[in-house]
Amino acid sequence: KGLSPFYCANALPVELFGSPSTPAGVYYGKSVIGNLFYPSIAGAGGPYIITYTYTDTAGCLNSASVSVNVATLPNIIVTPNKPTLCAGVPILITASGAVSYWWSPSDGLSDSTGDRVLADPEVTSTYMIMGISDSGCVGVTTVSLSVDSMPKASFTAQVSSVCTPKDIKFINTSIGAVTYSWDFGDGK
């Protein structure tokens, strides 16, 4: 008594109640300690048989058993797992391993539910993804999105001669760029 037929692997200990309670009986079974059943210690699987044994007032030994199953937690996988994006350029992030999902916080995301979201946070952010399996168990993971600033293209020009043709030196003063491409509009 006091047991459901199903628990998730991360469930809190469950208090067992036998009947009759006087005289007191004894509980036994996988992951039973005293009058508590520990689904997290039992681990995923089953059926686990939990038995309550007692001696009645006539001195007869009696017992009652209940079958319990423990379900695994969903393993939530996020793809890409360490995304980097440019500020202002959304990236598609997907979750798998469960049947429904919640994303938190929702700032910078196209939605707070579903297995696919577009992410476009303004700054580097960490999101928690909670997934629920078809058995109702909850798995949680996080993903951190690194946001790189958009490069800022800039240059200055120095004229080193006054004679024609003028000698002009272009100086790159761009910020945040790794590679550069110059286009003077003349096809060269």
Side-chain angles (χ1 to χ4, degrees):
K1 194 171 182 183
L3 282 173
S4 295
F6 168 82
Y7 290 94
C8 294
N10 63 344
L12 295 174
V14 180
E15 189 171 6
L16 304 171
F17 298 98
S19 179
S21 57
T22 41
V26 176
Y27 302 94
Y28 62 91
K30 183 169 177 85
S31 302
V32 172
I33 302 171
N35 69 331
L36 295 174
F37 169 63
Y38 292 84
S40 62
I41 295 173
Y48 300 121
I49 306 301
I50 311 300
T51 303
Y52 177 64
T53 303
Y54 64 95
T55 304
D56 64 21
T57 54
C60 297
L61 184 63
N62 295 283
S63 66
S65 296
V66 176
S67 176
V68 177
N69 289 290
V70 179
T72 59
L73 303 179
N75 181 25
I76 310 303
I77 306 295
V78 178
T79 307
N81 63 353
K82 293 180 182 176
T84 299
L85 61 139
C86 292
V89 180
I91 185 172
L92 178 66
I93 300 178
T94 61
S96 60
V99 294
S100 57
Y101 305 88
W102 286 267
W103 301 70
S104 178
S106 60
D107 299 340
L109 299 178
S110 60
D111 204 338
S112 62
T113 61
D115 63 340
R116 297 168 163 255
V117 297
L118 280 175
D120 190 13
E122 294 179 11
V123 295
T124 295
S125 302
T126 298
Y127 295 96
M128 180 185 74
I129 303 95
M130 181 173 63
I132 298 181
S133 68
D134 54 359
S135 59
C137 296
V138 177
V140 177
T141 193
T142 59
V143 64
S144 293
L145 279 71
S146 298
V147 179
D148 288 342
S149 318
M150 290 293 279
K152 183 177 181 181
S154 177
F155 70 92
T156 59
Q158 291 179 341
V159 179
S160 60
S161 73
V162 291
C163 300
T164 304
K166 294 188 181 214
D167 195 19
I168 302 173
K169 181 179 181 183
F170 293 99
I171 301 168
N172 180 10
T173 57
S174 299
I175 298 171
V178 178
T179 60
Y180 308 93
S181 174
W182 296 90
D183 182 357
F184 297 100
D186 62 356
K188 296 182 185 179

